[in-house]
Amino acid sequence: MEKKGPAREQSVSQKAYHSESYLGKKQWDTFLFQIKTIYKELPPPTNEHSILEIGYGSGFTNVVLKELGYAIESLDINNNLNPTYVGDISTKNFHLHKKYDCILCAEVLEHIPFEKFDIC
């Protein structure tokens, strides 16, 4: 039986993000949009601007923002993706004890059950 919900999200391998179907034009457009939005909102990129990316996924956006000079960390429910922090934003007791200038949360909410949106 195929895993669903958090069990699926916790088990997706990095290879799933390296497939031809995932890396289509639509996906590249979302990467570019995320990067350009951060660049516009927090110029110029320096290590003084701290960013938390929720939903590490492929890691592409994270890597590019680091290369542009941003101090960026990541949070994901999936330890297999090697995020900075492993955690589930849909739990009531979830807290990070650090402040960030910007939080990037893209392509994440569609993976969270609707009844947990208020918690997130």
Side-chain angles (χ1 to χ4, degrees):
M1 185 162 76
E2 184 179 324
K3 294 179 183 178
K4 293 184 179 185
R8 180 190 178 282
E9 299 305 324
Q10 290 172 329
S11 67
V12 173
S13 74
Q14 189 72 43
K15 287 183 180 182
Y17 296 101
H18 299 165
S19 67
E20 185 176 343
S21 61
Y22 180 80
L23 292 173
K25 182 180 178 337
K26 184 177 177 182
Q27 188 61 51
W28 286 104
D29 287 345
T30 66
F31 292 149
L32 183 59
F33 178 80
Q34 293 167 41
I35 293 162
K36 286 176 78 172
T37 300
I38 296 294
Y39 196 83
K40 178 182 170 188
E41 296 298 320
L42 291 176
T46 68
N47 282 324
E48 295 174 21
H49 295 299
S50 62
I51 301 170
L52 176 66
E53 179 184 23
I54 298 176
Y56 186 75
S58 68
F60 182 80
T61 301
N62 193 290
V63 168
V64 171
L65 289 171
K66 275 183 187 168
E67 286 296 317
L68 289 172
Y70 292 97
I72 184 166
E73 296 181 333
S74 56
L75 166 76
D76 203 287
I77 194 172
N78 189 337
N79 191 46
N80 296 329
L81 304 179
N82 299 312
T84 310
Y85 305 103
V86 176
D88 183 351
I89 63 170
S90 70
T91 60
K92 287 184 179 180
N93 62 353
F94 177 78
H95 296 285
L96 282 178
H97 302 287
K98 186 173 179 180
K99 292 187 178 196
Y100 294 89
D101 296 313
C102 177
I103 297 189
L104 172 62
C105 183
E107 302 184 48
V108 172
L109 297 180
E110 66 268 25
H111 301 282
I112 296 172
F114 185 74
E115 60 273 5
K116 291 190 172 188
F117 270 37
D118 286 343
I119 295 169
C120 296

